[in-house]
Amino acid sequence: MKKSLIALAFGTLALGIAEFSMMGILPTVAADLGISITVAGHLISAYALGVCFGAPVLILARKMALKRILLILVSLIIAGNLCAAAAPNYWVLLAGRFISGLPHGAYFGVASIVASKLAAKGKSSEAVSIMIAGMTIANLFGVPLGTSLSHTISWRTTFLLVAVWGIIVLYYIWRWVPAVSGLKDTGFKGQFRFLRKPAPWLILGATALGNGGVFCWYSYVSPLLVNVSGFQEASLTALMMLAGFGMVAGNLASGRLSDRYTPGRVGTIVQGCLCLILLAIYFTAENPWLSAALMTLCTAGLFAVSSPEQLLIIRVAPGGEMLGGACVQIAFNLGNAVGAYVGGIAVTHSYEATALAGVPFALVGFLLFLRFYRHHQDRFAL
């Protein structure tokens, strides 16, 4: 495995811990700052807003060398998390979370392009999946570690950990990632020209809706496992690590399969399977072992569509590759937000209803992916 790809994965690991650790430390932050859980929840939204604002700014950096952009983005990761770690009050923490989110989508967009350029011939999907692997490993090890540190030391330690890790990432990107050829400057308007075609919208729609369908259920998976499946709360850490293992395995397997069978085919099949898995979760939630097994399969599927979507959006966005790669991360975050909101409505009926509520979203995501595969895949195959 190339050191350069490992360096890029180190960056997504930092982003993964920064984004998802907030869910685990939310009660601790709220208690320490003297705010309600509802107000503390805005700290999650602030990160998502940072993602949405930061991604389009890439068009201003279109003439920069890709490696230089990566170094700037990692510097923002460090600055945002240092700000959060030292925040004296809620408002400074809110600003730190927003700054932390700014480089998220942009980093994925640029790192995807760099990974595909560094890949061996016919291995671009696998290279992108290795880059994304940091995000899945964050869910497997980084988030539980951050949550544990917040309980044993302080929630500030979690953000400090990300900032220190960011310094390590900065060094290894500088040391291991070679200078790769930049992208052709198509001008300001040229960055958006790809959005005139249907193919990018099919990918972005499949990303947002497919992700939203899973997050209808996944946003409330902990209470479902405890109150419906019958697991003890003490088992949740192990169960979340199992879900993280599914993410790692699904992402890496998808990268290899996409190089062999095309990203469009793999993405379409996995998205279709997610519809069936969500439906199965609804009907079997009371069985603890089936519930745990299906959870692992669903999280595997969630990240098994990630590398195909990240790679495809670059292929269907000629002249606007960086913006396209960042836009798919905006679609991910919009899907998360909408899915969590709809799941919150469904949870008033029952915890298992969250999975059922996600099925229509996942189904439409599948249909959009299927349409892309049938009508556009061949034109964008390498």
Side-chain angles (χ1 to χ4, degrees), residues 165-186:
W165 182 251
I167 295 171
I168 296 172
V169 176
L170 195 70
Y171 171 76
Y172 281 116
I173 287 181
W174 171 74
R175 182 77 182 273
W176 287 352
V177 176
V180 296
S181 57
L183 299 172
K184 181 181 178 181
D185 181 19
T186 57

Side-chain angles (χ1 to χ4, degrees), residues 181-206:
S181 57
L183 299 172
K184 181 181 178 181
D185 181 19
T186 57
F188 184 84
K189 291 183 179 179
Q191 297 290 305
F192 296 91
R193 195 169 291 129
F194 73 95
L195 292 172
R196 297 176 182 176
K197 304 290 181 64
W201 290 107
L202 290 172
I203 295 300
L204 293 173

